[in-house]
Amino acid sequence: MNPTMRTTTATLLALALFSGGCSFIPQLDPIAAPVSGKFPGKGGGEVSPDIAWQKFFTDPRLRKIVSIALANNRDLRIAALNVEQSRAQYGISRSELFPDISGVAYSERRRGLGAPGSNGSGIESTTYNVSVGITAYELDFFGKVRSLNTAALERYFATDAARVSTQISLVAEIASQYLTERALLEQLELSTQTLQGMKQAYDIMQKRFDSGTVSQLDLSSMEVQVQTAERDLAGFHQQIAQIENSLVFLAGSPLPRLPDGRGLDGVILAPVRAGLPSDLLLRRPDIRAAEHNLRAANAEIGAARAAFFPSVSLTATGGSTSREFSQLFGAGSATWLFSPHIDIPIFAAGKLRGNLDALAARKNIQIATYEKAIQTGFREVADGLAARAGLDQRIAATVKLVAAQQTRTDLATARYDKGIDSYFEVLTATLDLYNARQALIQLRLSRAANAVNLYKALGGGW
């Protein structure tokens, strides 16, 4: 490349790279959280939601299922691919800040008309050309390109926050399904024990009926309880099979041999400490995503404002041309082209103003969305804390109720054996004990599910 060509190219590149100007992105003032400064009730607990799920879930079987799902779940994979796509889009937007520099080399051979009197014979010529240049590069004097680049970056951050939200929701759903399975297994065991006891009692009742010591009513009542227990047992088997299918679906692959799980009365989850409402702004990915979308909308306003000002683009090339290939880079072969283009908006029938107003309205929508995300997070945590306190009290009362119902059943059985009461008293007491134990399992499930939901509502531990 000859000296003239090098100087011209360097000048063009310097002009293109240092053409940045002002920015019309409006100042985004801090938005006050539209919630109370503290959660209602007591926000006690031992474990901060900042801990990782591996420590929050203490059940080894549950931890194994979650780890498999994080590697294979398709929804999570789609969310990760959306992040990659958004990152690529940001890369495309960022490339607009720099000029596209391309090199061209070609040869051209043409035939033209000959001179008058040349009997129609043409003139043939060959031209060789090499050039390097910039084509239609917009000089970002008013920050339009940088504003759009900022918006693309914020959308990328929002997409990544959405991925984290998908991950938290996935883990919470797996935990919820797993806890339901634990409860169903306990209900299955209770129903199996109850059914076995009722069948034994029914056999005794049948013998007494055959001997005429009990009535047909007592025998029929006992048979009703046996069939009810059989029905419940079949229902629990069906629900367990469906839960297992759900866990396989959420895991994204068949489950291998897993370690034994714990019961609901064991330590499956660590207790959660709520902290302050302001912590939600940092933890919850949906709030972070709403904030990034707001910042993206704000940056787009900067681009819309810049559209009111002239747009300056540049096409410039420098190179060498010659009719002889051997003289392509010789003296006198240098060529250059400098073609600035200025586009000044004069009359657009309100299109620019309409676009700016639309983007301003979009920003206000994003502000409302951001505030709603904060309020939603606050409400979910507050509901979780309220439910936790109520569930602890209900579980304590139900434990006492189960003990009282057991005592009642034992006394009713003893009185029946002595002939003091009818078997109806035994059936009623047995059924009430069964229902109380079932209610205790459901309450323990609700308390464990509440801990998972509270951990999720706090944006737990990523």
Side-chain angles (χ1 to χ4, degrees):
M1 184 181 295
N2 59 45
T4 302
M5 179 178 174
R6 287 196 298 267
T7 302
T8 302
T9 304
T11 302
L12 297 176
L13 291 177
L15 178 62
L17 292 174
F18 295 101
S19 61
C22 59
S23 173
F24 290 106
I25 298 178
Q27 180 69 31
L28 186 61
D29 297 327
I31 300 174
V35 294
S36 174
K38 62 179 182 179
F39 294 113
K42 296 181 180 180
E46 301 175 7
V47 177
S48 168
D50 289 331
I51 67 167
W53 62 266
Q54 295 91 336
K55 295 182 179 179
F56 176 66
F57 299 133
T58 58
D59 187 297
R61 186 181 183 90
L62 175 56
R63 284 203 299 258
K64 182 64 176 178
I65 296 174
V66 171
S67 64
I68 294 173
L70 292 180
N72 297 283
N73 181 268
R74 296 309 186 271
D75 287 336
L76 190 57
R77 187 173 299 177
I78 291 171
L81 292 173
N82 285 335
V83 174
E84 290 187 15
Q85 182 184 38
S86 181
R87 183 169 52 206
Q89 292 293 336
Y90 166 65
I92 295 172
S93 176
R94 189 173 183 273
S95 69
E96 298 294 330
L97 294 170
F98 304 93
D100 290 334
I101 303 174
S102 59
V104 178
Y106 66 90
S107 65
E108 181 181 75
R109 185 173 180 84
R110 77 173 49 174
R111 176 185 175 88
L113 294 176
S118 59
N119 298 324
S121 60
I123 299 176
E124 295 184 357
S125 63
T126 303
T127 303
Y128 301 92
N129 186 286
V130 174
S131 64
V132 176
I134 301 169
T135 304
Y137 170 62
E138 182 173 354
L139 304 179
D140 197 24
F141 289 123
F142 302 102
K144 182 178 73 173
V145 177
R146 280 172 294 146
S147 295
L148 294 175
N149 180 65
T150 300
L153 179 62
E154 294 295 342
R155 282 192 290 269
Y156 162 60
F157 289 149
T159 305
D160 188 60
R163 176 194 61 81
V164 177
S165 182
T166 300
Q167 183 170 322
I168 293 176
S169 297
L170 169 64
V171 173
E173 178 63 18
I174 291 174
S176 177
Q177 294 292 319
Y178 179 79
L179 293 171
T180 302
E181 180 193 46
R182 296 290 97 189
L184 287 171
L185 289 173
E186 292 186 15
Q187 290 173 321
L188 178 65
E189 182 180 2
L190 173 60
S191 295
T192 301
Q193 294 173 355
T194 302
L195 178 60
Q196 291 174 349
M198 287 183 173
K199 284 184 175 180
Q200 294 174 358
Y202 180 78
D203 292 340
I204 296 174
M205 185 77 69
Q206 181 68 55
K207 293 177 181 178
R208 291 183 177 181
F209 174 75
D210 293 340
S211 63
T213 57
V214 298
S215 67
Q216 178 71 41
L217 178 61
D218 288 340
L219 182 63
S220 298
S221 299
M222 188 72 248
E223 184 179 5
V224 169
Q225 297 304 316
V226 171
Q227 296 302 324
T228 300
E230 290 273 16
R231 181 201 64 191
D232 292 346
L233 198 63
F236 291 138
H237 279 295
Q238 175 187 343
Q239 293 178 61
I240 289 172
Q242 292 173 334
I243 288 291
E244 291 175 350
N245 292 337
S246 177
L247 288 173
V248 170
F249 173 77
L250 293 172
S253 68
L255 295 176
R257 183 177 180 84
L258 298 171
D260 294 334
R262 299 174 181 174
L264 292 176
D265 55 348
V267 181
I268 297 180
L269 309 170
V272 183
R273 173 165 47 84
L276 298 174
S278 58
D279 297 337
L280 295 180
L281 304 181
L282 301 176
R283 290 181 184 147
R284 280 184 64 113
D286 60 331
I287 295 179
R288 297 203 306 271
E291 180 182 0
H292 288 305
N293 284 327
L294 170 58
R295 294 184 180 277
N298 191 59
E300 289 175 339
I301 291 178
R305 287 178 172 180
F308 284 88
F309 294 87
S311 173
V312 181
S313 59
L314 172 68
T315 297
T317 61
S320 181
T321 184
S322 174
R323 293 184 180 277
E324 300 292 337
F325 183 77
S326 60
Q327 299 297 321
L328 182 59
F329 299 103
S333 63
T335 62
W336 58 269
L337 169 67
F338 180 74
S339 176
H341 178 80
I342 301 177
D343 184 5
I344 302 176
I346 298 176
F347 177 74
K351 182 175 70 174
L352 297 178
R353 172 57 61 183
N355 183 53
L356 179 60
D357 292 342
L359 291 174
R362 183 187 302 176
K363 175 184 175 180
N364 291 331
I365 292 173
Q366 292 300 330
I367 291 175
T369 302
Y370 176 64
E371 293 174 337
K372 182 180 178 181
I374 296 174
Q375 292 175 334
T376 299
F378 182 88
R379 187 208 67 195
E380 290 178 354
V381 174
D383 287 349
L385 292 174
R388 181 169 67 179
L391 285 168
D392 288 339
Q393 295 175 1
R394 293 171 64 189
I395 288 174
T398 305
V399 169
K400 295 179 181 179
L401 175 62
V402 169
Q405 291 289 6
Q406 184 66 61
T407 300
R408 175 193 172 195
T409 302
D410 294 341
L411 291 174
T413 302
R415 290 174 64 85
Y416 172 76
D417 290 340
K418 293 179 181 180
I420 299 176
D421 290 331
S422 68
Y423 197 75
F424 179 76
E425 297 294 335
V426 178
L427 285 177
T428 303
T430 302
L431 180 60
D432 290 343
L433 174 61
Y434 175 79
N435 290 334
R437 294 178 67 183
Q438 288 279 19
L440 181 59
I441 293 174
Q442 285 295 327
L443 285 172
R444 285 173 172 165
L445 170 62
S446 297
R447 182 174 63 179
N450 169 259
V452 172
N453 291 333
L454 186 57
Y455 187 72
K456 175 187 175 183
L458 291 167
W462 302 100

